[in-house]
Amino acid sequence: MPFLTGLYAFLFYFAALVLVSGLTYKVVQYSRTPAPLRIPTTPAPTTSSGVVLRMTREVVLFESLFRANKWTWIFGWLFHFGLFLVTLRHLRYFLNPVPAVIEFIQPFGIYAGFAMVVGLVGLWARRFLVDRVRYISSPGDHLMLALLLLIAASGLLMSFLLHTDIVSVKTFFLGLYHFDLRPLPADPVLLLHIALVAVLMIIFPYSKLLHAPGLFFSPTRNQVDDSRERRLVAPWASRFERP
Amino acid sequence: MAKATFEVPVLSQYPDVPAVTPGTMAGSAPFLSKPEFQAPLGFPGELVENWQERAIEKMGELLTRYRSLRVYMDACVKCGACTDKCHYFLGTKDPKNMPVGRQDLMRKVYRRYFTLAGRLFPNLVGAQDLTREVLDEWYSYFHQCSQCRRCSVFCPYGIDTAEISMAAREIMDCIGVGQKYCNEIIAKVYRVGNNLGLPGPALVDTLEGLEEDVFDETGVRVRYPIDEVGAEILMVTPSADFFAEPHVDGLIGYGKVFHEAGVSWTFSSYASEAANFGMFIGSYENMHRLSQRIREEAIRLKVKRIVFGECGHAWRVGYSFLNTLAGPWDFLDPRYPVPQHICEFTHDLILQGRLKFDKTQNDDKVLTFHDSCNVARASRMGDTPGGQFEIPRAIIRATCNHFYDMDEETIRDRTFCCGGGGGLLTDDLIELRVKGAKPRMEALNNVMQEKGVTHMAAICAICKSQFTKVLPFYGMEMDQIVSLHQLVSNAIVLTPGADDGDEDDDDDGATDSALTPGDEDDDAAD
């Protein structure tokens, strides 16, 4: 299948390029944009280590969302934690030899796939059932959920019903590292699965998926509450300084 | 007193989230600022010819100036966590008053002009051109945000609608679409020195009158000095404190606390205003210019410390921004933070056992405390996070026998806005103010029913003015809202000075009542 292999090889090179360069561009843009005034949402930590702790709780436990809405938190957390484990599990297709941690995580990764689906279905249901969330949902929001759900479903399908030749899959991806194109199995479910993943990688830097890097740059969360002790003057604001 | 031309919401015992009812507040907009109020702030007088181009250009500039705006435009996933958190949505049912709904008014324009997806597939991602209709929506709904930041508490990414509404207002000001209430007040500060346009001599008269009143009532000569060079403390307070009720009772309390502390202090007739409406319109330049006045007076009066009175957003600007805007403050006494809040000052004295209280003086009241949003979610008091919640409560407990908090979901960092903050305390927005107060009124009503609460204390001039006006709409009394330092003032046991036996016949000072306007405290507040 040289055509398919070539097409998918190109797709993944392109997707990786867009993902990495797009995200790098955004992260550099965020970090270069000044935050001229202290605006942490208080009560806020008064030390940097306190901020690290606050951010860790936000990233790992979704603390603010927990306070906001329990249903959204349950489904959101199930989806993200599931995605995290599934991603770790998939590292076995990209690493050789496979690290022991990744070996260990394999069985959990399967259940995590189901957690992802449950989370996504719950999040999607809210977009129909809760009138406020229905009001704010745009076609893009539905498409994003559809994309993720299709990825999860096609993945689970391959795990349980329509197995594919995972050894060839791994050979294909490892080959990409050295521009050595190895044949990809022509299973429709596999081709759909990885094509959608490539699409996800491509739209990541241009979509609401930017919430992932954005969280780390949110001034209301990542600033230390020390404005009386430490003076801050942004470069563009320094022209207001007295001579 | 209140005669409403709209339906006042019915209070319920349990908070209910209304069904979204689009467009209920589409007709609500404040008066436009006239050219003479725009010019002193550095803005065009009326809508400029190429406004669309200028607005997009300004938006691009703000995106490079503020990381908050840049990140918040990108990061929202429409999860809905904020949708039931805004008091204006809860009170008006208008979905454009849901934080995400309000933000999206700007986000759809951002997408159209600043993102690839919005340029290529506007319909898919909800991107839209900046049309006259969109501008009108901006004007309506960005003036239905009190910048209270309650949404930022609950957003998983900390997206703060206040930052977005500030940016929107700055963009509108820059194309000549300003809001009258805010801009007129800022112009007045530049011209006269305070929000109310009170000239120096009127302040001097008012303070002399207060000295006499306090002496008549207590037999102790408590001083209320102004423009005294060499005083240790410069006291900066919202100008409403100089005469409006119940604000002035708090100001009387400040003087009594300073008297007991035995420190010299002074107001300034030039920096006679703590409020900084530059923040409400998102203008760094104006915020900076307003803050400089405090620095100039601290230098001129040769003070060693700066203390802020009871004003929510003034405290935010003071606590969070003053160091940046008007520092460094290295010429002041380094033993004290700059600035200090009057509550921190009073609380320190209480901890040192230097204040004596007769709590029974407040026994006619059963109290609750309203956390003001700018204090609660955008500042701190004392050394530890959350001091802004604990210190005012500690002062109430020290001065009153009966205190009950409102429901946990409605206090501290989850507090509900009074409904009048963020530059909305104007009669043209009264429907919004009444409806926006609903969640707070419900929580208050519940503790009134369950605990017999009679009064609510607050430490923000806007809150006090707003409640004075709004309480009657809900069948309550306007004097149920009190200043926190009014409680201190009632209970404090004053130490007589050496000359307090002498009767002073110098009775030429005007009393504060001569300055108190009738029903117009809105324009006066803060």
Side-chain angles (χ1 to χ4, degrees), chain B residues 4-21:
Chain B
T5 55
F6 50 88
E7 208 176 318
V8 177
V10 179
L11 301 184
S12 64
Q13 194 177 354
Y14 302 101
D16 54 337
V17 181
V20 294
T21 316

Side-chain angles (χ1 to χ4, degrees), chain B residues 155-208:
Chain B
C155 174
Y157 319 111
I159 299 175
D160 178 6
T161 310
E163 291 292 302
I164 295 165
S165 84
M166 285 170 191
R169 291 182 191 182
E170 182 167 13
I171 292 169
M172 289 190 283
D173 267 322
C174 288
I175 58 170
V177 184
Q179 183 236 33
K180 175 175 177 260
Y181 176 66
C182 283
N183 292 5
E184 186 176 354
I185 277 181
I186 297 174
K188 228 183 275 180
V189 176
Y190 291 150
R191 205 173 62 246
V192 190
N194 51 57
N195 290 1
L196 304 175
L198 295 172
L203 293 176
V204 173
D205 278 357
T206 302
L207 293 172
E208 280 175 0

Side-chain angles (χ1 to χ4, degrees), chain B residues 345-356:
Chain B
F345 187 89
T346 302
H347 187 244
D348 279 348
L349 292 177
I350 292 174
L351 289 183
Q352 294 169 32
R354 288 169 62 193
L355 297 181
K356 269 208 226 51

